[in-house]
Each structure stands twice: as C-alpha cells, then as structure tokens.
PDB file of all heavy atoms in Angstrom:
ATOM      1  N   ARG A 152     186.120 272.016  76.497  1.00 80.00           N
ATOM      2  CA  ARG A 152     186.216 271.655  75.083  1.00 80.00           C
ATOM      3  C   ARG A 152     187.599 271.997  74.511  1.00 80.00           C
ATOM      4  O   ARG A 152     188.200 271.221  73.787  1.00 80.00           O
ATOM      5  CB  ARG A 152     185.129 272.368  74.283  1.00 80.00           C
ATOM      6  CG  ARG A 152     185.118 271.955  72.827  1.00 80.00           C
ATOM      7  CD  ARG A 152     183.984 272.579  72.091  1.00 80.00           C
ATOM      8  NE  ARG A 152     182.739 272.046  72.610  1.00 80.00           N
ATOM      9  CZ  ARG A 152     181.535 272.411  72.218  1.00 80.00           C
ATOM     10  NH1 ARG A 152     181.411 273.327  71.300  1.00 80.00           N
ATOM     11  NH2 ARG A 152     180.461 271.886  72.734  1.00 80.00           N
ATOM     12  N   VAL A 153     188.135 273.176  74.850  1.00 78.00           N
ATOM     13  CA  VAL A 153     189.454 273.587  74.378  1.00 78.00           C
ATOM     14  C   VAL A 153     190.526 272.652  74.937  1.00 78.00           C
ATOM     15  O   VAL A 153     191.435 272.228  74.229  1.00 78.00           O
ATOM     16  CB  VAL A 153     189.742 275.057  74.756  1.00 78.00           C
ATOM     17  CG1 VAL A 153     191.178 275.438  74.442  1.00 78.00           C
ATOM     18  CG2 VAL A 153     188.776 275.984  74.039  1.00 78.00           C
ATOM     19  N   ALA A 154     190.407 272.318  76.211  1.00 76.00           N
ATOM     20  CA  ALA A 154     191.382 271.422  76.839  1.00 76.00           C
ATOM     21  C   ALA A 154     191.348 270.040  76.181  1.00 76.00           C
ATOM     22  O   ALA A 154     192.396 269.448  75.907  1.00 76.00           O
ATOM     23  CB  ALA A 154     191.111 271.310  78.330  1.00 76.00           C
ATOM     24  N   LEU A 155     190.164 269.501  75.915  1.00 78.00           N
ATOM     25  CA  LEU A 155     190.047 268.185  75.286  1.00 78.00           C
ATOM     26  C   LEU A 155     190.574 268.201  73.852  1.00 78.00           C
ATOM     27  O   LEU A 155     191.246 267.260  73.429  1.00 78.00           O
ATOM     28  CB  LEU A 155     188.596 267.701  75.317  1.00 78.00           C
ATOM     29  CG  LEU A 155     188.082 267.290  76.694  1.00 78.00           C
ATOM     30  CD1 LEU A 155     186.597 266.963  76.628  1.00 78.00           C
ATOM     31  CD2 LEU A 155     188.865 266.122  77.236  1.00 78.00           C
ATOM     32  N   ARG A 156     190.304 269.257  73.107  1.00 80.00           N
ATOM     33  CA  ARG A 156     190.824 269.360  71.739  1.00 80.00           C
ATOM     34  C   ARG A 156     192.352 269.418  71.744  1.00 80.00           C
ATOM     35  O   ARG A 156     193.010 268.796  70.921  1.00 80.00           O
ATOM     36  CB  ARG A 156     190.269 270.592  71.040  1.00 80.00           C
ATOM     37  CG  ARG A 156     188.866 270.427  70.564  1.00 80.00           C
ATOM     38  CD  ARG A 156     188.413 271.651  69.811  1.00 80.00           C
ATOM     39  NE  ARG A 156     187.011 271.526  69.449  1.00 80.00           N
ATOM     40  CZ  ARG A 156     186.262 272.514  69.055  1.00 80.00           C
ATOM     41  NH1 ARG A 156     186.774 273.734  68.950  1.00 80.00           N
ATOM     42  NH2 ARG A 156     185.009 272.334  68.740  1.00 80.00           N
ATOM     43  N   SER A 157     192.904 270.175  72.684  1.00 78.00           N
ATOM     44  CA  SER A 157     194.356 270.277  72.773  1.00 78.00           C
ATOM     45  C   SER A 157     194.975 268.929  73.127  1.00 78.00           C
ATOM     46  O   SER A 157     195.986 268.523  72.550  1.00 78.00           O
ATOM     47  CB  SER A 157     194.759 271.314  73.825  1.00 78.00           C
ATOM     48  OG  SER A 157     194.276 272.585  73.458  1.00 78.00           O
ATOM     49  N   LEU A 158     194.383 268.220  74.055  1.00 76.00           N
ATOM     50  CA  LEU A 158     194.882 266.899  74.439  1.00 76.00           C
ATOM     51  C   LEU A 158     194.795 265.928  73.272  1.00 76.00           C
ATOM     52  O   LEU A 158     195.728 265.165  73.016  1.00 76.00           O
ATOM     53  CB  LEU A 158     194.092 266.373  75.637  1.00 76.00           C
ATOM     54  CG  LEU A 158     194.551 265.046  76.216  1.00 76.00           C
ATOM     55  CD1 LEU A 158     195.982 265.157  76.711  1.00 76.00           C
ATOM     56  CD2 LEU A 158     193.627 264.628  77.339  1.00 76.00           C
ATOM     57  N   PHE A 159     193.696 265.956  72.542  1.00 73.00           N
ATOM     58  CA  PHE A 159     193.527 265.088  71.374  1.00 73.00           C
ATOM     59  C   PHE A 159     194.578 265.411  70.312  1.00 73.00           C
ATOM     60  O   PHE A 159     195.196 264.519  69.748  1.00 73.00           O
ATOM     61  CB  PHE A 159     192.123 265.234  70.793  1.00 73.00           C
ATOM     62  CG  PHE A 159     191.906 264.430  69.551  1.00 73.00           C
ATOM     63  CD1 PHE A 159     191.751 263.059  69.613  1.00 73.00           C
ATOM     64  CD2 PHE A 159     191.871 265.031  68.302  1.00 73.00           C
ATOM     65  CE1 PHE A 159     191.566 262.299  68.478  1.00 73.00           C
ATOM     66  CE2 PHE A 159     191.692 264.294  67.154  1.00 73.00           C
ATOM     67  CZ  PHE A 159     191.531 262.926  67.237  1.00 73.00           C
ATOM     68  N   ALA A 160     194.806 266.701  70.047  1.00 74.00           N
ATOM     69  CA  ALA A 160     195.794 267.101  69.037  1.00 74.00           C
ATOM     70  C   ALA A 160     197.193 266.637  69.432  1.00 74.00           C
ATOM     71  O   ALA A 160     197.953 266.157  68.592  1.00 74.00           O
ATOM     72  CB  ALA A 160     195.772 268.618  68.847  1.00 74.00           C
ATOM     73  N   LEU A 161     197.532 266.744  70.701  1.00 70.00           N
ATOM     74  CA  LEU A 161     198.835 266.271  71.166  1.00 70.00           C
ATOM     75  C   LEU A 161     198.972 264.761  71.000  1.00 70.00           C
ATOM     76  O   LEU A 161     200.014 264.266  70.586  1.00 70.00           O
ATOM     77  CB  LEU A 161     199.042 266.655  72.633  1.00 70.00           C
ATOM     78  CG  LEU A 161     199.399 268.108  72.891  1.00 70.00           C
ATOM     79  CD1 LEU A 161     199.356 268.407  74.379  1.00 70.00           C
ATOM     80  CD2 LEU A 161     200.760 268.427  72.331  1.00 70.00           C
ATOM     81  N   ALA A 162     197.918 264.018  71.309  1.00 69.00           N
ATOM     82  CA  ALA A 162     197.960 262.557  71.176  1.00 69.00           C
ATOM     83  C   ALA A 162     198.122 262.146  69.715  1.00 69.00           C
ATOM     84  O   ALA A 162     198.923 261.262  69.393  1.00 69.00           O
ATOM     85  CB  ALA A 162     196.696 261.945  71.767  1.00 69.00           C
ATOM     86  N   VAL A 163     197.384 262.785  68.820  1.00 68.00           N
ATOM     87  CA  VAL A 163     197.489 262.464  67.388  1.00 68.00           C
ATOM     88  C   VAL A 163     198.880 262.796  66.872  1.00 68.00           C
ATOM     89  O   VAL A 163     199.491 262.008  66.145  1.00 68.00           O
ATOM     90  CB  VAL A 163     196.406 263.224  66.583  1.00 68.00           C
ATOM     91  CG1 VAL A 163     196.668 263.141  65.095  1.00 68.00           C
ATOM     92  CG2 VAL A 163     195.027 262.658  66.910  1.00 68.00           C
ATOM     93  N   THR A 164     199.413 263.940  67.270  1.00 71.00           N
ATOM     94  CA  THR A 164     200.758 264.334  66.843  1.00 71.00           C
ATOM     95  C   THR A 164     201.802 263.344  67.335  1.00 71.00           C
ATOM     96  O   THR A 164     202.679 262.928  66.579  1.00 71.00           O
ATOM     97  CB  THR A 164     201.085 265.751  67.348  1.00 71.00           C
ATOM     98  OG1 THR A 164     200.078 266.649  66.869  1.00 71.00           O
ATOM     99  CG2 THR A 164     202.448 266.206  66.887  1.00 71.00           C
ATOM    100  N   ALA A 165     201.704 262.939  68.581  1.00 66.00           N
ATOM    101  CA  ALA A 165     202.678 261.993  69.138  1.00 66.00           C
ATOM    102  C   ALA A 165     202.599 260.647  68.429  1.00 66.00           C
ATOM    103  O   ALA A 165     203.626 260.053  68.083  1.00 66.00           O
ATOM    104  CB  ALA A 165     202.435 261.820  70.633  1.00 66.00           C
ATOM    105  N   PHE A 166     201.387 260.147  68.194  1.00 66.00           N
ATOM    106  CA  PHE A 166     201.232 258.851  67.528  1.00 66.00           C
ATOM    107  C   PHE A 166     201.748 258.915  66.090  1.00 66.00           C
ATOM    108  O   PHE A 166     202.470 258.042  65.651  1.00 66.00           O
ATOM    109  CB  PHE A 166     199.768 258.409  67.524  1.00 66.00           C
ATOM    110  CG  PHE A 166     199.558 257.136  66.769  1.00 66.00           C
ATOM    111  CD1 PHE A 166     199.901 255.920  67.332  1.00 66.00           C
ATOM    112  CD2 PHE A 166     199.048 257.150  65.483  1.00 66.00           C
ATOM    113  CE1 PHE A 166     199.724 254.734  66.635  1.00 66.00           C
ATOM    114  CE2 PHE A 166     198.873 255.986  64.778  1.00 66.00           C
ATOM    115  CZ  PHE A 166     199.209 254.770  65.355  1.00 66.00           C
ATOM    116  N   THR A 167     201.386 259.964  65.364  1.00 69.00           N
ATOM    117  CA  THR A 167     201.813 260.100  63.967  1.00 69.00           C
ATOM    118  C   THR A 167     203.326 260.220  63.882  1.00 69.00           C
ATOM    119  O   THR A 167     203.960 259.585  63.042  1.00 69.00           O
ATOM    120  CB  THR A 167     201.145 261.320  63.313  1.00 69.00           C
ATOM    121  OG1 THR A 167     199.732 261.176  63.419  1.00 69.00           O
ATOM    122  CG2 THR A 167     201.531 261.447  61.856  1.00 69.00           C
ATOM    123  N   GLY A 168     203.920 261.011  64.756  1.00 62.00           N
ATOM    124  CA  GLY A 168     205.375 261.152  64.756  1.00 62.00           C
ATOM    125  C   GLY A 168     206.068 259.831  65.018  1.00 62.00           C
ATOM    126  O   GLY A 168     207.063 259.490  64.376  1.00 62.00           O
ATOM    127  N   GLY A 169     205.549 259.061  65.957  1.00 61.00           N
ATOM    128  CA  GLY A 169     206.138 257.760  66.259  1.00 61.00           C
ATOM    129  C   GLY A 169     206.014 256.794  65.094  1.00 61.00           C
ATOM    130  O   GLY A 169     206.968 256.087  64.753  1.00 61.00           O
ATOM    131  N   ALA A 170     204.852 256.777  64.468  1.00 61.00           N
ATOM    132  CA  ALA A 170     204.644 255.870  63.331  1.00 61.00           C
ATOM    133  C   ALA A 170     205.522 256.263  62.149  1.00 61.00           C
ATOM    134  O   ALA A 170     206.143 255.405  61.511  1.00 61.00           O
ATOM    135  CB  ALA A 170     203.175 255.876  62.918  1.00 61.00           C
ATOM    136  N   LEU A 171     205.599 257.551  61.832  1.00 60.00           N
ATOM    137  CA  LEU A 171     206.426 257.988  60.711  1.00 60.00           C
ATOM    138  C   LEU A 171     207.911 257.799  61.018  1.00 60.00           C
ATOM    139  O   LEU A 171     208.702 257.522  60.117  1.00 60.00           O
ATOM    140  CB  LEU A 171     206.129 259.445  60.364  1.00 60.00           C
ATOM    141  CG  LEU A 171     204.737 259.705  59.785  1.00 60.00           C
ATOM    142  CD1 LEU A 171     204.539 261.188  59.531  1.00 60.00           C
ATOM    143  CD2 LEU A 171     204.510 258.907  58.534  1.00 60.00           C
ATOM    144  N   GLY A 172     208.292 257.922  62.285  1.00 61.00           N
ATOM    145  CA  GLY A 172     209.669 257.674  62.672  1.00 61.00           C
ATOM    146  C   GLY A 172     210.065 256.229  62.421  1.00 61.00           C
ATOM    147  O   GLY A 172     211.170 255.937  61.962  1.00 61.00           O
ATOM    148  N   ARG A 173     209.139 255.300  62.691  1.00 59.00           N
ATOM    149  CA  ARG A 173     209.419 253.884  62.425  1.00 59.00           C
ATOM    150  C   ARG A 173     209.565 253.639  60.932  1.00 59.00           C
ATOM    151  O   ARG A 173     210.401 252.862  60.501  1.00 59.00           O
ATOM    152  CB  ARG A 173     208.310 253.002  62.983  1.00 59.00           C
ATOM    153  CG  ARG A 173     208.336 252.876  64.480  1.00 59.00           C
ATOM    154  CD  ARG A 173     207.199 252.003  64.943  1.00 59.00           C
ATOM    155  NE  ARG A 173     207.249 250.705  64.292  1.00 59.00           N
ATOM    156  CZ  ARG A 173     207.315 249.555  64.921  1.00 59.00           C
ATOM    157  NH1 ARG A 173     207.357 249.550  66.222  1.00 59.00           N
ATOM    158  NH2 ARG A 173     207.328 248.422  64.257  1.00 59.00           N
ATOM    159  N   ILE A 174     208.754 254.308  60.131  1.00 58.00           N
ATOM    160  CA  ILE A 174     208.848 254.140  58.680  1.00 58.00           C
ATOM    161  C   ILE A 174     210.172 254.711  58.172  1.00 58.00           C
ATOM    162  O   ILE A 174     210.851 254.096  57.363  1.00 58.00           O
ATOM    163  CB  ILE A 174     207.653 254.829  57.980  1.00 58.00           C
ATOM    164  CG1 ILE A 174     206.367 254.064  58.280  1.00 58.00           C
ATOM    165  CG2 ILE A 174     207.881 254.916  56.478  1.00 58.00           C
ATOM    166  CD1 ILE A 174     205.114 254.768  57.821  1.00 58.00           C
ATOM    167  N   ALA A 175     210.544 255.876  58.670  1.00 56.00           N
ATOM    168  CA  ALA A 175     211.769 256.530  58.193  1.00 56.00           C
ATOM    169  C   ALA A 175     213.026 255.755  58.562  1.00 56.00           C
ATOM    170  O   ALA A 175     214.021 255.796  57.844  1.00 56.00           O
ATOM    171  CB  ALA A 175     211.850 257.946  58.748  1.00 56.00           C
ATOM    172  N   THR A 176     213.014 255.056  59.690  1.00 56.00           N
ATOM    173  CA  THR A 176     214.199 254.329  60.123  1.00 56.00           C
ATOM    174  C   THR A 176     214.207 252.879  59.674  1.00 56.00           C
ATOM    175  O   THR A 176     215.131 252.151  59.981  1.00 56.00           O
ATOM    176  CB  THR A 176     214.336 254.371  61.661  1.00 56.00           C
ATOM    177  OG1 THR A 176     213.175 253.778  62.246  1.00 56.00           O
ATOM    178  CG2 THR A 176     214.506 255.804  62.147  1.00 56.00           C
ATOM    179  N   ARG A 177     213.204 252.466  58.934  1.00 57.00           N
ATOM    180  CA  ARG A 177     213.148 251.090  58.456  1.00 57.00           C
ATOM    181  C   ARG A 177     214.239 250.873  57.407  1.00 57.00           C
ATOM    182  O   ARG A 177     214.444 251.712  56.541  1.00 57.00           O
ATOM    183  CB  ARG A 177     211.777 250.824  57.836  1.00 57.00           C
ATOM    184  CG  ARG A 177     211.592 249.380  57.425  1.00 57.00           C
ATOM    185  CD  ARG A 177     210.133 249.152  57.055  1.00 57.00           C
ATOM    186  NE  ARG A 177     209.936 247.811  56.619  1.00 57.00           N
ATOM    187  CZ  ARG A 177     209.693 246.786  57.429  1.00 57.00           C
ATOM    188  NH1 ARG A 177     209.643 246.994  58.715  1.00 57.00           N
ATOM    189  NH2 ARG A 177     209.500 245.581  56.958  1.00 57.00           N
ATOM    190  N   PRO A 178     214.942 249.734  57.456  1.00 54.00           N
ATOM    191  CA  PRO A 178     215.995 249.495  56.464  1.00 54.00           C
ATOM    192  C   PRO A 178     215.409 249.366  55.069  1.00 54.00           C
ATOM    193  O   PRO A 178     214.254 248.963  54.912  1.00 54.00           O
ATOM    194  CB  PRO A 178     216.637 248.180  56.912  1.00 54.00           C
ATOM    195  CG  PRO A 178     215.687 247.566  57.867  1.00 54.00           C
ATOM    196  CD  PRO A 178     214.817 248.650  58.409  1.00 54.00           C
ATOM    197  N   PRO A 179     216.183 249.710  54.031  1.00 53.00           N
ATOM    198  CA  PRO A 179     215.697 249.581  52.663  1.00 53.00           C
ATOM    199  C   PRO A 179     215.259 248.148  52.377  1.00 53.00           C
ATOM    200  O   PRO A 179     215.813 247.201  52.917  1.00 53.00           O
ATOM    201  CB  PRO A 179     216.900 249.968  51.802  1.00 53.00           C
ATOM    202  CG  PRO A 179     217.790 250.750  52.700  1.00 53.00           C
ATOM    203  CD  PRO A 179     217.542 250.243  54.091  1.00 53.00           C
ATOM    204  N   SER A 180     214.274 248.017  51.499  1.00 50.00           N
ATOM    205  CA  SER A 180     213.729 246.693  51.230  1.00 50.00           C
ATOM    206  C   SER A 180     214.724 245.787  50.532  1.00 50.00           C
ATOM    207  O   SER A 180     214.529 244.591  50.476  1.00 50.00           O
ATOM    208  CB  SER A 180     212.455 246.807  50.400  1.00 50.00           C
ATOM    209  OG  SER A 180     212.755 247.389  49.158  1.00 50.00           O
ATOM    210  N   GLY A 181     215.812 246.332  50.000  1.00 45.00           N
ATOM    211  CA  GLY A 181     216.831 245.505  49.377  1.00 45.00           C
ATOM    212  C   GLY A 181     217.507 244.578  50.376  1.00 45.00           C
ATOM    213  O   GLY A 181     218.163 243.622  50.008  1.00 45.00           O
ATOM    214  N   GLU A 182     217.331 244.861  51.664  1.00 44.00           N
ATOM    215  CA  GLU A 182     217.913 244.017  52.694  1.00 44.00           C
ATOM    216  C   GLU A 182     217.007 242.852  53.042  1.00 44.00           C
ATOM    217  O   GLU A 182     217.260 242.112  53.977  1.00 44.00           O
ATOM    218  CB  GLU A 182     218.218 244.851  53.938  1.00 44.00           C
ATOM    219  CG  GLU A 182     219.270 245.899  53.667  1.00 44.00           C
ATOM    220  CD  GLU A 182     219.529 246.784  54.858  1.00 44.00           C
ATOM    221  OE1 GLU A 182     219.130 246.415  55.981  1.00 44.00           O
ATOM    222  OE2 GLU A 182     220.122 247.844  54.670  1.00 44.00           O
ATOM    223  N   GLY A 183     215.925 242.692  52.329  1.00 45.00           N
ATOM    224  CA  GLY A 183     215.060 241.534  52.517  1.00 45.00           C
ATOM    225  C   GLY A 183     213.770 241.877  53.219  1.00 45.00           C
ATOM    226  O   GLY A 183     213.765 242.627  54.178  1.00 45.00           O
ATOM    227  N   PRO A 184     212.656 241.303  52.757  1.00 48.00           N
ATOM    228  CA  PRO A 184     211.360 241.578  53.359  1.00 48.00           C
ATOM    229  C   PRO A 184     211.072 240.648  54.531  1.00 48.00           C
ATOM    230  O   PRO A 184     210.132 239.864  54.507  1.00 48.00           O
ATOM    231  CB  PRO A 184     210.392 241.333  52.205  1.00 48.00           C
ATOM    232  CG  PRO A 184     211.059 240.266  51.400  1.00 48.00           C
ATOM    233  CD  PRO A 184     212.536 240.521  51.539  1.00 48.00           C
ATOM    234  N   ALA A 185     211.907 240.683  55.545  1.00 47.00           N
ATOM    235  CA  ALA A 185     211.709 239.792  56.683  1.00 47.00           C
ATOM    236  C   ALA A 185     211.290 240.584  57.912  1.00 47.00           C
ATOM    237  O   ALA A 185     211.700 241.715  58.105  1.00 47.00           O
ATOM    238  CB  ALA A 185     212.984 239.022  56.974  1.00 47.00           C
ATOM    239  N   LEU A 186     210.472 239.972  58.731  1.00 47.00           N
ATOM    240  CA  LEU A 186     210.110 240.542  60.014  1.00 47.00           C
ATOM    241  C   LEU A 186     211.213 240.232  61.011  1.00 47.00           C
ATOM    242  O   LEU A 186     212.099 239.415  60.757  1.00 47.00           O
ATOM    243  CB  LEU A 186     208.787 239.925  60.502  1.00 47.00           C
ATOM    244  CG  LEU A 186     207.562 240.228  59.651  1.00 47.00           C
ATOM    245  CD1 LEU A 186     206.392 239.385  60.109  1.00 47.00           C
ATOM    246  CD2 LEU A 186     207.209 241.692  59.756  1.00 47.00           C
ATOM    247  N   SER A 187     211.165 240.855  62.166  1.00 47.00           N
ATOM    248  CA  SER A 187     212.193 240.602  63.173  1.00 47.00           C
ATOM    249  C   SER A 187     212.185 239.152  63.635  1.00 47.00           C
ATOM    250  O   SER A 187     213.160 238.663  64.176  1.00 47.00           O
ATOM    251  CB  SER A 187     211.992 241.545  64.361  1.00 47.00           C
ATOM    252  OG  SER A 187     210.721 241.338  64.937  1.00 47.00           O
ATOM    253  N   THR A 188     211.089 238.452  63.420  1.00 49.00           N
ATOM    254  CA  THR A 188     211.005 237.049  63.819  1.00 49.00           C
ATOM    255  C   THR A 188     211.641 236.142  62.783  1.00 49.00           C
ATOM    256  O   THR A 188     211.726 234.942  63.000  1.00 49.00           O
ATOM    257  CB  THR A 188     209.536 236.633  63.993  1.00 49.00           C
ATOM    258  OG1 THR A 188     208.861 236.831  62.743  1.00 49.00           O
ATOM    259  CG2 THR A 188     208.858 237.445  65.067  1.00 49.00           C
ATOM    260  N   GLY A 189     212.073 236.690  61.646  1.00 51.00           N
ATOM    261  CA  GLY A 189     212.692 235.887  60.606  1.00 51.00           C
ATOM    262  C   GLY A 189     211.701 235.382  59.563  1.00 51.00           C
ATOM    263  O   GLY A 189     212.088 234.833  58.549  1.00 51.00           O
ATOM    264  N   ARG A 190     210.399 235.567  59.807  1.00 63.00           N
ATOM    265  CA  ARG A 190     209.396 235.152  58.831  1.00 63.00           C
ATOM    266  C   ARG A 190     209.312 236.172  57.703  1.00 63.00           C
ATOM    267  O   ARG A 190     209.655 237.326  57.883  1.00 63.00           O
ATOM    268  CB  ARG A 190     208.017 235.039  59.481  1.00 63.00           C
ATOM    269  CG  ARG A 190     207.930 233.934  60.506  1.00 63.00           C
ATOM    270  CD  ARG A 190     206.564 233.911  61.159  1.00 63.00           C
ATOM    271  NE  ARG A 190     206.430 235.131  61.956  1.00 63.00           N
ATOM    272  CZ  ARG A 190     205.323 235.838  62.074  1.00 63.00           C
ATOM    273  NH1 ARG A 190     204.228 235.482  61.449  1.00 63.00           N
ATOM    274  NH2 ARG A 190     205.286 236.918  62.804  1.00 63.00           N
TER     275      ARG A 190
END
C-alpha cells in the first residue's frame, strides 16, 4: 500500500508539473489565439 501510494504521488506530481510547465511557457494571448496548426 505504501509503495503504491508513493508511485501514485510521483505520477500525479510529474503530470501536474508538466501541465503547469506548458501553461507557464505559453506565449501571451496578445500574440493571437491560434493553435500550432494555424486554426
């Protein structure tokens, strides 16, 4: 149980860090609300 909780906590931390990193590095919206595909 301790091992599974630790693994789960590490996975959640890694996913959250990655998602927040993408938000933090996103260009300001003044540069246009376009996706990388141009849409």
Side-chain angles (χ1 to χ4, degrees):
R152 184 175 294 178
V153 172
L155 288 174
R156 283 183 185 165
S157 298
L158 184 61
F159 177 74
L161 283 171
V163 168
T164 303
F166 176 77
T167 303
L171 292 178
R173 286 179 56 123
I174 291 171
T176 60
R177 185 170 178 86
S180 62
E182 296 177 16
L186 295 171
S187 60
T188 60
R190 294 177 293 142

